[in-house]
Amino acid sequence: MSILVVGSVAMDSVETPFGRRKEILGGSATFFSITASFFNKVDLIATVGEDFPKRYVRLFKDRNIGIDGLTISKGKTFRWKGRYDFDLNTAHTISTHLNVFKDFDPHVPKDLRKPKLLFLANIDPDLQYNVLSQVKRPKLVACDSMNYWINTKRKSLERLLDKIDVLLLNDAEARQFSGESNLFKAARSIISYGPKAVVIKRGEHGVIYFSRQTHFVAPAYLLENIYDPTGAGDTFAGGMMGYLSRARKINEATIRKSIVYGSIMASFTVEDFSVNRLLEISAKDIKDRFDNFRRITKF
Ligand code: AMP
């Protein structure tokens, strides 16, 4: 057993300058698990409503994603509606309906309580904490969050930060959480809450990884066509954790490489709406972009 993820499984409605889609498959745990499944076995802890299309459940199964921890609750699936402006860098939330996540009491099945890696994908930090408390301490615990939870559940998020290894946030969220406009200072402030490292995602400008001792910068993979950035952050985490789950050791070198895999996987997600592009690609496509990334960044 390898990677365990808790997070949202959602029906998204998305508007970008290049099109709009209603009620498409989304959610932080969805993007994460489909991406990480290219690297290793992933098990999903989440809940959906009775309205969740069966074909999406089949999609998880077809990708060998464990769904013993995916429950169907009475009520409606989580829904998120968002819009992006022309630069595609900032997601503007139009509405968030937690629906079945409001009363979700996650239960980690006994067989899944010893994951090698745990990813607490973006969802209520109390749910993230709850899942973390049910498992034997994994080798690495990473966590994502967003402005919505920083605004509404800051104390819960702080409690969680003390228990994790790596926090992933976008630049606006890092500034919001820390109250610092400079990202270096923001990272240092976040690390003072407990995590060993923070990954600040900057959309088309790539990511910066800060640990207590070092930092590492990776550009985003340059693309000509970007249609929908939704899920890029969760896909990044899926590539990062997916690669780390196969690395013999988790150290500075493998973390740096995992960040490059995260960037590459995210570059596929943004080429289409929902998880559509991820469903088309093969291991060879990933390798080709990885090799190209090396060429682009060599000097
Ligand atoms: P990102 O990777 O940051 O673009 O995340 C996109 C996904 O986050 C979408 O598919 C949404 O369904 C999901 N999402 C949006 N708001 C929330 C929230 N408050 N809690 C959990 N998931 C969310």
Side-chain angles (χ1 to χ4, degrees), residues 8 10 12 26-28 31 78 80 84 93 96 98 122-124 144 146 148-149 201 229-235:
S8 57
D12 286 347
S28 55
F31 286 102
F78 175 90
W80 177 75
Y84 298 84
T93 294
T96 303
L98 297 177
N122 180 26
I123 193 68
D124 184 331
D144 194 355
M146 73 181 296
Y148 185 88
W149 302 114
K201 300 170 285 181
T230 309
D234 308 305
T235 304

Side-chain angles (χ1 to χ4, degrees), residues 128-142:
Q128 294 175 314
Y129 193 90
N130 183 332
V131 167
L132 177 60
S133 323
Q134 293 182 52
V135 300
K136 183 169 175 282
R137 185 66 167 78
K139 250 173 122 174
L140 185 90
V141 180

Side-chain angles (χ1 to χ4, degrees), residues 7-14 24-32 78-81 84 91 93 95-98 101 121-124 144-149 152 170 173 201 228-237 269 274:
S8 57
V9 172
M11 304 296 288
D12 286 347
S13 295
V14 182
I24 50 178
L25 178 62
S28 55
T30 302
F31 286 102
F32 177 89
F78 175 90
R79 274 170 173 72
W80 177 75
K81 200 183 243 186
Y84 298 84
T93 294
S95 62
T96 303
H97 297 291
L98 297 177
F101 273 109
N122 180 26
I123 193 68
D124 184 331
D144 194 355
S145 195
M146 73 181 296
N147 52 3
Y148 185 88
W149 302 114
T152 59
N170 72 32
E173 291 152 1
K201 300 170 285 181
D228 174 17
T230 309
D234 308 305
T235 304
F236 174 89
T269 289
S274 183

Side-chain angles (χ1 to χ4, degrees), residues 33-98:
S33 57
I34 292 175
T35 305
S37 73
F38 281 94
F39 298 84
N40 220 326
K41 175 81 171 68
V42 190
D43 288 282
L44 184 59
I45 307 287
T47 189
V48 292
E50 290 153 323
D51 57 349
F52 191 66
K54 299 266 177 306
R55 66 177 185 284
Y56 295 149
V57 177
R58 272 199 303 278
L59 193 154
F60 289 128
K61 273 194 194 157
D62 289 348
R63 302 246 140 198
N64 198 25
I65 295 165
I67 53 166
D68 288 352
L70 177 71
T71 57
I72 298 174
S73 307
K74 219 169 170 189
K76 285 179 100 179
T77 300
F78 175 90
R79 274 170 173 72
W80 177 75
K81 200 183 243 186
R83 170 181 67 77
Y84 298 84
D85 292 331
F86 205 63
D87 75 0
L88 292 176
N89 252 351
T90 315
H92 302 283
T93 294
I94 298 167
S95 62
T96 303
H97 297 291
L98 297 177

Side-chain angles (χ1 to χ4, degrees), residues 187-198:
R188 209 174 283 142
S189 156
I190 292 167
I191 285 175
S192 75
Y193 286 85
K196 296 192 190 81
V198 51

